[in-house]
Amino acid sequence: MKIKHLSTTLLLILVIIFLHTGCVTSQSTAENSIELAAESTPDGICLEFNGIPSDTTRIFVYISLLNDNPIDGSQMFADIRDTALEQVKNTRTITCPFLHEGSEYSIIAFISTSKDYSDDSDITVNETGVAGGGIRPTNTLFLDLIDKNTGVELSDHPVFSDDVTYVGQKYMYKVTIDIAADRSIGYGEGATDALSWQFMPSMKEDFVKEGFQDTGTFPAFVTVFSNLVYENITWSVGIAQTEEFMISL
């Protein structure tokens, strides 16, 4: 998955290319000799890095469940910078506990060495791992489309299987639009405590302001994330997702 930040924090372009290999503990090596290993632990999955450049300015970790259920919402990410980044440089490890115990996950990490986090400085490492434990919502959550597919509503606040710590406001909503087989765009508006979100017409207006070139009707879905912290790392954890619907740009 490739991520490019535009001039507004509301827009992300995601080109998603997954490399799926599988075992509980395995290791992948990038061309620059950065190594990433994923180990199953009672807390979830522990990621261990070897060879992080000393001038790294950011590590972006994206984790997604390896199954075909489009409603599960089991994707999460951590954008690691500043003091959290220094922690990872020192320990060389990141533990993610917000997983389904026994499930296999795809893990992609982007290591950036530029001050502006530009794409040409990104180093990508891929891995898979199986969660040895996990903290997930225990109540059944639904994210429903409302107002003729221009907004969404979450059925309830999540009740987690263990105590969790929220970071500021509880939720972040994001629309993902599949433009092509290996390319999608995402749109979100930051953190909120609300159980509903209206993404139209503001999304279309912002795309126009950014000079977005792709127009037409595309498949899309909306995911709601909980903003959680574990061992000083902030995670945006998918808790519910809409069914796929068609959207016009």
Side-chain angles (χ1 to χ4, degrees), residues 49-64:
F49 293 85
N50 187 25
I52 299 175
S54 59
D55 58 347
T56 295
T57 55
R58 174 196 190 197
I59 297 175
F60 189 98
V61 178
Y62 179 81
I63 300 177
S64 59

Side-chain angles (χ1 to χ4, degrees), residues 33-89:
S33 298
I34 292 181
E35 297 177 344
L36 172 62
E39 181 179 358
S40 175
T41 72
D43 293 327
I45 291 177
C46 179
L47 307 180
E48 183 173 355
F49 293 85
N50 187 25
I52 299 175
S54 59
D55 58 347
T56 295
T57 55
R58 174 196 190 197
I59 297 175
F60 189 98
V61 178
Y62 179 81
I63 300 177
S64 59
L65 189 65
L66 284 177
N67 71 9
D68 295 325
N69 182 358
I71 311 301
D72 189 83
S74 291
Q75 54 178 311
M76 63 213 69
F77 59 88
D79 193 354
I80 303 167
R81 314 186 193 193
D82 304 324
T83 57
L85 177 61
E86 292 306 312
Q87 171 184 305
V88 174
K89 285 181 178 180

